[in-house]
Amino acid sequence: MRAGDSVRTGSPSGAAPLLQEHPAEALAAAEAILRERPGLPPAELLACQALRRLGRAEAALPRLAQLAHREPRVPAVLWELAQAASEAGETEQAIAALEKLTQRQPGVASGWFLLGAELRNAGRAEQGWRADLSGVHAASRDPELLKAAMAMNEGQLDESEAMLAARFARQPADPPAQRLLGEIAWRRGDMGEAIAQVRTAIEQAPGYDLARDFLIRLLLQSNMLAEALEQADILAASPLQSPGYHLLRASVLVRLGDQQAAREVYERLLAQDPAQPQVWQNLGHVLKTLGRQTEAVHAYRQAVTHQPTMGEAWWSLANLKTVKLGTEDRPAMLQALAALEAESAVEAEEDVFHLHFSLGKAFEDAGDYAASFRHYEQGNRLRRSMVLHDAAAFSAEVAATAQTFTAPFIAAMGDGGCPARDPVFILGLPRSGSTLVEQILDSHSQIEGTMELPEMMIIASRLQSRVDEGEFPDFRAMVAALTPADRLRLGEEYLDRTRIHRRTDKPRFIDKMPNNWQHVGLIRLILPNAAIVDTRRHPMSCCFSGWKQHFARGQTFSYDLADIGRYYRDYVSLMAAYDAAAPGAVHRVHYEAMVADTEAEVRRLLAYLGLEFEPACLEFYKNDRAVRTASSEQVRQPIFRDGVEQWKNYEAWLGSLKDALGPDLTNAGLPT
């Protein structure tokens, strides 16, 4: 095309502004020019663009094909030809035009994305996937997107969103911008909007692997596990193979409780490349859960062989409660710790605190309790600096809950909720014996064990957000506003969300989430016939055991002796309030009583559940089910008494814990 053709009065440039808002007028203007100057390329292109915008792609297509033959190097012509062919259903013609366009302009992402769509229409899925990947690569160099991403990373979320809005006004289908919008929503804490935006991005470009990876992580955060697995299966089939995609899929399988399938993923990756300490560690976790202790030890030792400073692998080895770290392990861990501390790198902090916890266990195994306590204390101090826990605010929340679920309040709420008797909630503090109770009950023919399920906490958090967002003045008002229909819906939602974890047709299932003690009132409102079992252990024993245990997530109160003592007090006070408000609703199992007379306690527990006694419950250690908690190895052995008073070896250093518990709890043994 000649530059002068587009600048004179009566030229196509004068008609072009009409194209978006008034395509019929643009067409008329272009045709008028063509009558004066037949075949003028800019006018011909404008006419075809107008025809397509008027829904007449079939009429535009032959004219565009002729124009492309005459002007084969003009990207705008190829782009218009491709879009017209696509709209007219002429897939192969669209592909041919787009292949030429992307060769000439490989840095323009939109051409690649349209090519991907047309290749999929033609049944060439893998080529379409690769075209999408090329589009993502091109978009990574787009100055406008880079500027919006930089603003987002600097916390300027509104500015970044405004840049993207301006971009969408010109180009509505823009997968990378859509994914970026999803990340903005995620950073704002709007998980639903984030998921919706990222879903749209991969609908527009199914081969956008990085967006699908992000979506899977969002779904995992939202505990939407079925969809997460669907997406992970797709991602694992990407033509651009990445071990990370298979690792992500394995993490979804673990969350779903399919440990064997995850194991197969890890073993396949290690067969391809054994020098992968993270994969060895992940394999160790799965093997531990499956009860394959010897193989788990081997996997963890392979991890630290390949990466001696890998603190989590050392802790995973130490955390096999029935395994003792040997004399050769302590020097190796101390050497690794010294190397990490010499680096003074922030990213090494997790390895450092894991090594301190591991050394605490190693010196405990050796009977050097002073050295053991010193390392436990250092590990806890470092971990405490990395988490948020406001003990006073938490105590206030617990008090508000206790003041809400009084006997008169419960009576005033009346009947409601889902009447199903399926769930058996096991709750209490971590390290209180809950896994033992779960293993015993899972050995019964009528009860299925699952895992620590977050569904009740998710529902409670969503309800609390209505208070936080100002819809209700306080927690009590929010709960009081729940109608019988609301409570029925919430109970049914809980059952729907947990159904994916049930693998058998047993009528009852266990939800063993210790933190659910905070939600007993809510459980009673939405699932009034659910069983609630409170597992309790001597306060000094329970708190000390929790303090020296590094938890992967969630137990932010456990890294300070005073915090954990106060937390125990809050727990006891709230459970006492529930007992007073609804006597007999919660069944309590004392760990020490279970150890002293297992059969009597098991019979008492089954009677509460309305079930017949079965001898298999006393041989729970023969149950080969997967167990993910820190007690996974202990519950595969007959009950032993060694752990009942281990805290006494450290009593000289536990003054702050005793002070936090107070004399009533410290000296009373087991609270009632």
Side-chain angles (χ1 to χ4, degrees):
M1 296 183 192
R2 297 183 299 276
D5 288 336
S6 62
V7 296
R8 292 190 296 273
T9 303
S11 70
S13 64
L18 297 171
L19 189 60
Q20 295 301 327
E21 298 295 331
H22 305 287
E25 295 179 29
L27 175 62
E31 298 289 19
I33 295 169
L34 287 168
R35 283 193 292 274
E36 294 181 7
R37 302 187 60 182
L40 180 68
E44 186 66 20
L45 176 60
L46 180 63
C48 292
Q49 289 172 321
L51 284 169
R52 188 172 68 82
R53 282 158 179 76
L54 288 167
R56 298 166 60 191
E58 294 86 349
L61 192 55
R63 296 172 66 172
L64 283 166
Q66 291 180 8
L67 182 59
H69 181 72
R70 287 168 23 222
E71 303 284 347
R73 295 183 175 277
V74 180
V77 173
L78 292 171
W79 175 248
E80 196 63 31
L81 171 60
Q83 292 194 93
S86 176
E87 291 174 16
E90 298 294 337
T91 301
E92 292 301 331
Q93 193 172 1
I95 290 172
L98 287 163
E99 285 176 338
K100 291 177 184 177
L101 176 65
T102 52
Q103 287 172 7
R104 285 169 173 72
Q105 289 190 316
V108 178
S110 55
W112 287 110
F113 290 129
L114 185 54
L115 175 58
E118 292 305 313
L119 287 166
R120 279 186 292 277
N121 288 339
R124 293 150 67 181
E126 183 170 331
Q127 290 176 277
W129 202 322
R130 292 184 182 278
D132 284 344
L133 291 171
S134 295
V136 174
H137 180 69
S140 70
R141 293 176 168 80
D142 187 305
E144 193 173 51
L145 282 175
L146 288 171
K147 187 177 179 182
M150 188 177 298
M152 179 192 69
N153 289 328
E154 292 174 353
Q156 300 169 11
L157 302 184
D158 290 345
E159 292 85 343
S160 179
E161 188 174 32
M163 294 178 202
L164 295 174
R167 185 180 175 94
F168 283 126
R170 303 190 311 273
Q171 185 176 324
D174 190 341
Q178 204 80 47
R179 196 219 77 93
L180 196 57
L181 202 58
E183 186 168 349
I184 291 170
W186 174 70
R187 290 178 182 234
R188 285 178 172 148
D190 190 343
M191 192 66 76
E193 179 65 14
I195 289 173
Q197 294 291 351
V198 182
R199 276 193 189 125
T200 299
I202 62 170
E203 286 167 4
Q204 294 172 348
Y208 192 171
D209 287 353
L210 292 177
R212 196 178 299 277
D213 182 296
F214 184 38
L215 177 61
I216 294 165
R217 296 175 193 279
L218 294 174
L219 293 168
L220 283 172
Q221 289 180 38
S222 303
N223 210 44
M224 300 169 69
L225 302 182
E227 184 181 350
L229 182 59
E230 290 174 10
Q231 298 294 346
D233 286 341
I234 295 170
L235 185 61
S238 170
L240 188 65
Q241 280 295 300
S242 167
Y245 298 160
H246 294 282
L247 287 172
L248 183 58
R249 179 173 176 271
S251 70
V252 177
L253 291 167
V254 167
R255 287 280 297 275
L256 282 164
D258 194 346
Q259 310 294 330
Q260 184 57 41
R263 174 186 180 177
E264 291 167 5
V265 173
Y266 296 138
E267 289 179 338
R268 187 164 57 250
L269 291 172
L270 289 168
Q272 296 166 4
D273 177 12
Q276 299 186 77
Q278 184 65 53
V279 182
W280 278 114
Q281 177 180 276
N282 291 355
L283 176 60
H285 293 338
V286 166
L287 291 168
K288 170 192 170 184
T289 302
L290 290 170
R292 310 298 292 264
Q293 185 186 98
T294 301
E295 294 166 78
V297 169
H298 172 73
Y300 291 139
R301 290 204 177 277
Q302 284 294 312
V304 298
T305 296
H306 289 291
Q307 187 178 327
T309 58
M310 194 172 190
E312 186 181 346
W314 279 113
W315 170 244
S316 299
L317 191 59
N319 199 31
L320 289 167
K321 303 300 184 184
T322 55
V323 172
K324 292 196 174 186
L325 295 170
T327 54
E328 72 283 357
D329 292 319
R330 293 194 297 276
M333 287 188 287
L334 287 167
Q335 185 177 355
L337 183 61
L340 290 168
E341 289 177 336
E343 292 178 12
S344 299
V346 173
E347 57 268 22
E349 286 183 343
E350 288 202 10
D351 287 314
V352 170
F353 74 66
H354 274 119
L355 278 164
H356 277 303
F357 276 101
S358 306
L359 284 160
K361 175 63 163 54
F363 281 109
E364 181 178 4
D365 290 343
D368 187 344
Y369 300 115
S372 171
F373 184 84
R374 186 166 62 251
H375 282 290
Y376 280 138
E377 186 176 43
Q378 288 177 274
N380 273 291
R381 186 183 302 117
L382 179 56
R383 186 70 177 111
R384 181 68 181 87
S385 70
M386 300 167 68
V387 299
L388 295 175
H389 177 69
D390 187 332
F394 182 78
S395 294
E397 290 177 14
V398 171
T401 303
Q403 291 161 13
T404 295
F405 292 103
T406 61
F409 180 86
I410 293 171
M413 291 295 290
D415 295 334
C418 175
R421 299 176 56 84
D422 304 34
V424 178
F425 291 92
I426 300 178
L427 43 84
L429 262 68
R431 310 297 297 147
S432 65
S434 56
T435 304
L436 172 61
V437 173
E438 177 188 31
Q439 188 81 342
I440 289 169
L441 290 181
D442 180 76
S443 301
H444 196 282
S445 64
Q446 300 299 301
I447 306 177
E448 177 182 6
T450 55
M451 60 180 69
E452 294 185 347
L453 304 179
E455 277 74 16
M456 188 57 64
M457 297 174 68
I458 290 171
I459 291 171
S461 178
R462 191 174 73 235
L463 292 175
Q464 178 61 41
S465 70
R466 300 174 69 183
V467 180
D468 298 338
E469 293 167 4
E471 183 180 351
F472 295 98
D474 53 37
F475 176 77
R476 183 185 180 92
M478 182 273 296
V479 175
L482 295 174
T483 66
D486 292 333
R487 291 154 58 188
L488 173 62
R489 175 180 51 80
L490 289 170
E492 290 176 340
E493 177 191 341
Y494 170 85
L495 293 175
D496 287 342
R497 291 176 66 101
T498 54
R499 192 163 284 113
I500 192 171
H501 297 286
R502 301 179 69 175
R503 306 296 175 86
T504 73
D505 59 358
K506 293 182 179 182
R508 312 284 285 274
F509 74 97
I510 299 168
D511 180 342
K512 189 199 77 74
M513 175 59 78
N515 306 58
N516 276 336
W517 66 265
Q518 302 164 43
H519 309 305
V520 170
L522 177 62
I523 292 170
R524 294 285 297 167
L525 284 181
I526 71 174
L527 291 160
N529 295 319
I532 302 172
V533 179
D534 173 23
T535 60
R536 190 168 298 186
R537 187 177 175 188
H538 186 285
M540 291 295 292
S541 183
C542 186
C543 292
F544 175 68
S545 183
W547 177 78
K548 69 180 181 129
Q549 173 73 44
H550 175 254
F551 298 96
R553 65 184 67 84
Q555 314 300 352
T556 58
F557 62 89
S558 67
Y559 303 110
D560 179 271
L561 287 170
D563 283 349
I564 200 169
R566 183 169 182 173
Y567 187 91
Y568 193 100
R569 289 188 70 89
D570 289 334
Y571 150 71
V572 169
S573 67
L574 184 57
M575 296 310 294
Y578 284 137
D579 289 344
V586 176
H587 178 83
R588 188 154 295 112
V589 175
H590 293 298
Y591 176 74
E592 289 78 5
M594 180 67 79
V595 169
D597 190 347
T598 306
E599 182 172 342
E601 287 300 308
V602 170
R603 286 183 179 277
R604 197 169 67 89
L605 173 58
L606 293 175
Y608 163 75
L609 296 173
L611 296 173
E612 294 293 325
F613 173 78
E614 293 181 359
C617 294
L618 299 182
E619 296 184 323
F620 58 86
Y621 47 87
K622 296 181 180 179
N623 188 333
D624 62 357
R625 63 180 285 265
V627 181
R628 294 183 62 186
T629 68
S631 305
S632 60
E633 296 309 305
Q634 291 166 306
V635 298
R636 293 192 171 98
Q637 300 181 17
I639 284 181
F640 60 98
R641 293 169 173 76
D642 295 352
V644 172
E645 294 187 336
Q646 282 182 342
W647 66 273
K648 289 190 174 180
N649 295 321
Y650 298 84
E651 189 168 8
W653 302 286
L654 301 181
S656 60
L657 174 57
K658 290 183 177 181
D659 291 343
L661 288 168
D664 290 344
L665 290 178
T666 305
N667 300 327
L670 287 170
T672 58

